[in-house]
Amino acid sequence: MFSKSLTQAVLLACLAISTVHAAVPQISIKGTKFFYSNGTQYYMKGIAYQLTQADPLIDTEQCQRDADLMGQLGANAIRVYHVDPAGDHTGCMTAFANAGIYLLIDLDTFETDIDPFRTSWNQTQFDAFAEVMDAFHTYDNTLGFFIGNEVIALNNQSLAAPYIKAAARDMKSYRDSKGYRKIPVGYSAADIAELRPMLQDYLACGTNTSEAIDFFGLNAYEWCGPNDMKTSGYNRLNTFAENLNVPIFFSETGCNTVRPRDFQDQGAILGPDMDEIWSGAIIYEWIEEANNYGLISYGPPVSATVVASDIEGGFSRRGTPTPVAPDFTNLQNAWATLHPKGVASSAYTPSVTPPACPSSTAGGWLVNGNVALPSLGQVLQATTTGASVTGTATGTATGSAASASSTTKGSANGGKEIAGMSAGLVAVMLGFMWFL
């Protein structure tokens, strides 16, 4: 009797697990596009989701509340910047799967990210990234992994690009060695004019696809208020993306310098102007914070000095999500009218080949050609006294520092908060050495 009951319990448990993991069809990449397992093209209508600097995917009750409202909004994806691989994510992953929502997970943390000022790719980072992949590879609604977010935040930091590419190479190799589903590994880039389109092309270039990223995300906030393809600069982004052989999408967008946000850019991204090339967008962000990007709030703000449960920086991080008016409704209405059909996988034959590895440019892109990628344990040496850089292997790097600035969002996701730097403040020298 006990044996029979135990057998039934095991079968029921296996069925429950199977149901959790089969709530949504898997998504994979073919050429420059994402496809559901039934062959229908997938376009992202996504939200950046990081309630605190810790892991937002271990609170099942909160995830369920948020997933329900995201379903009403029309979202089908979220991006999570930091997770704890030791946490139990099944409840949250199930809640989002039941709402038809897929997840893009960043592999790094504040402690393990690739740092452009002390650039390395070492065993500690590899192990930490692998633990996150181990934790999320089983879920069918895991859409992809980011190897980094805005690692290169200034136009004089492009010498970190080979380390980003090396990390993608090694994590793809780890994924395959473990027999995991081929969940794609990509990168989320800051929108730096001097590095367009060199960064995206470099990360995708080369004849060895095992060393290239699987997709490219762009954090762009150019379309602000009433605009069009030309005045926003999206026509340039479209042109740069035409020759990219992997999927490209906006991994952050949603300018808030013009209030309220009307999200007119979604009509371009998910409409005929761009939907042939781009795979959608992630709107920044779910929770209202001091940066005023939020689509919902969990309660009225309080003083930033208040110390209380579930409150950080003066904002509640947990509770019943209440739409921020009129931004939430504006996005909801915009997405409700946008249903790009794309192309069926069976009717699609990829024709775009990898781009040429870009040459270095004065005052901009510093990596010249298809340079040999660093091995695990190598470190990029930097100095403030040099004025140029040299490289090794199949290419060289050359150039000098130039000024740049980036938008400060300053939220729980830990986005880079970098003020403008004057020309010549930092000049970087390239030199690979074994990490000791």
Side-chain angles (χ1 to χ4, degrees):
M1 182 66 176
F2 173 78
S3 177
K4 182 178 180 180
S5 298
L6 179 61
T7 300
Q8 290 175 336
V10 171
L11 288 174
L12 287 173
C14 291
L15 178 60
I17 293 172
S18 176
T19 300
V20 166
H21 288 207
V24 292
Q26 295 177 356
I27 292 175
S28 60
I29 287 175
K30 181 179 180 181
T32 61
K33 306 178 189 303
F34 291 93
F35 290 98
Y36 293 104
S37 56
N38 68 0
T40 302
Q41 189 173 345
Y42 168 80
Y43 290 90
M44 288 177 212
K45 295 178 178 179
I47 305 293
Y49 185 75
Q50 190 77 38
L51 308 185
T52 72
Q53 294 181 5
D55 189 343
L57 299 178
I58 56 176
D59 185 343
T60 300
E61 184 179 347
Q62 187 59 52
C63 287
Q64 186 63 63
R65 295 192 196 105
D66 292 334
D68 289 345
L69 189 58
M70 286 180 188
Q72 298 176 39
L73 177 63
N76 65 8
I78 60 173
R79 177 185 178 181
V80 179
Y81 295 82
H82 302 296
V83 295
D84 177 4
D88 181 359
H89 304 102
T90 299
C92 282
M93 294 298 288
T94 302
F96 287 116
N98 289 339
I101 294 172
Y102 293 81
L103 284 83
L104 290 158
I105 307 291
D106 286 46
L107 294 175
D108 62 355
T109 66
F110 295 120
E111 290 75 31
T112 62
D113 62 340
I114 299 172
D115 186 342
F117 296 104
R118 295 175 296 276
T119 310
S120 68
W121 172 237
N122 58 48
Q123 190 67 51
T124 298
Q125 292 169 305
F126 177 96
D127 292 343
F129 284 29
E131 288 178 355
V132 175
M133 185 176 284
D134 292 342
F136 286 92
H137 78 92
T138 60
Y139 301 106
D140 286 346
N141 58 329
T142 298
L143 175 60
F145 296 114
F146 283 114
I147 209 73
N149 178 61
E150 297 188 0
V151 172
I152 298 169
L154 297 170
N155 67 351
N156 57 20
Q157 294 176 338
S158 58
L159 292 176
Y163 288 81
I164 298 169
K165 202 166 182 177
R169 171 202 64 197
D170 291 347
M171 296 319 302
K172 289 171 63 173
S173 176
Y174 176 79
R175 173 200 66 193
D176 295 346
S177 72
K178 299 287 285 187
Y180 295 163
R181 174 167 65 91
K182 287 190 178 294
I183 302 171
V185 176
Y187 176 68
S188 176
D191 184 19
I192 304 171
E194 296 89 343
L195 303 185
R196 301 183 195 141
M198 288 78 77
L199 176 57
Q200 68 180 41
D201 288 353
Y202 172 75
L203 294 177
C205 76
T207 58
N208 187 353
T209 58
S210 68
E211 294 186 343
I213 57 169
D214 295 322
F215 62 81
F216 184 81
L218 183 66
N219 298 347
Y221 293 81
E222 294 184 30
W223 193 306
C224 302
N227 242 310
D228 58 36
M229 288 291 292
K230 182 176 181 180
T231 58
S232 68
Y234 274 36
N235 60 338
R236 294 191 302 273
L237 298 182
N238 232 13
T239 299
F240 292 144
E242 286 177 348
N243 296 318
L244 192 64
N245 65 314
V246 298
I248 185 171
F249 57 91
F250 290 87
S251 45
E252 283 181 16
T253 192
C255 174
N256 71 349
T257 60
V258 178
R259 309 289 303 187
R261 295 194 286 178
D262 58 19
F263 300 103
Q264 287 185 9
D265 64 324
Q266 297 301 289
I269 296 168
L270 295 167
D273 286 330
M274 303 180 75
D275 67 4
E276 175 63 26
I277 300 173
W278 296 75
S279 292
I282 304 292
I283 301 298
Y284 193 88
E285 63 174 321
W286 182 244
I287 185 175
E288 178 74 327
E289 303 180 82
N291 57 22
N292 294 317
Y293 279 94
L295 293 169
I296 65 93
S297 70
Y298 297 119
V302 297
S303 171
T305 61
V306 169
V307 178
S309 177
D310 300 325
I311 292 180
E312 295 178 18
F315 291 85
S316 297
R317 306 289 169 166
R318 190 176 189 276
T320 300
T322 301
V324 171
D327 289 21
F328 183 97
T329 302
N330 287 347
L331 180 58
Q332 184 181 45
N333 291 339
W335 276 350
T337 66
L338 299 169
H339 304 285
K341 297 187 182 303
V343 62
S345 177
S346 60
Y348 170 60
T349 301
S351 59
V352 182
T353 57
C357 295
S359 301
S360 59
T361 58
W365 182 250
L366 302 177
V367 182
N368 191 30
N370 192 18
V371 299
L373 300 183
S375 301
L376 189 67
Q378 285 186 286
V379 176
L380 175 66
Q381 296 300 298
T383 177
T384 57
T385 60
S388 64
V389 291
T390 59
T392 59
T394 60
T396 59
T398 180
S400 59
S403 63
S405 63
S406 65
T407 301
T408 298
K409 298 189 291 293
S411 68
N413 71 34
K416 307 262 190 298
E417 299 180 15
I418 301 177
M421 296 181 68
S422 60
L425 177 62
V426 178
V428 186
M429 296 187 67
L430 175 64
F432 291 131
M433 65 172 289
W434 288 109
F435 178 76
L436 299 178

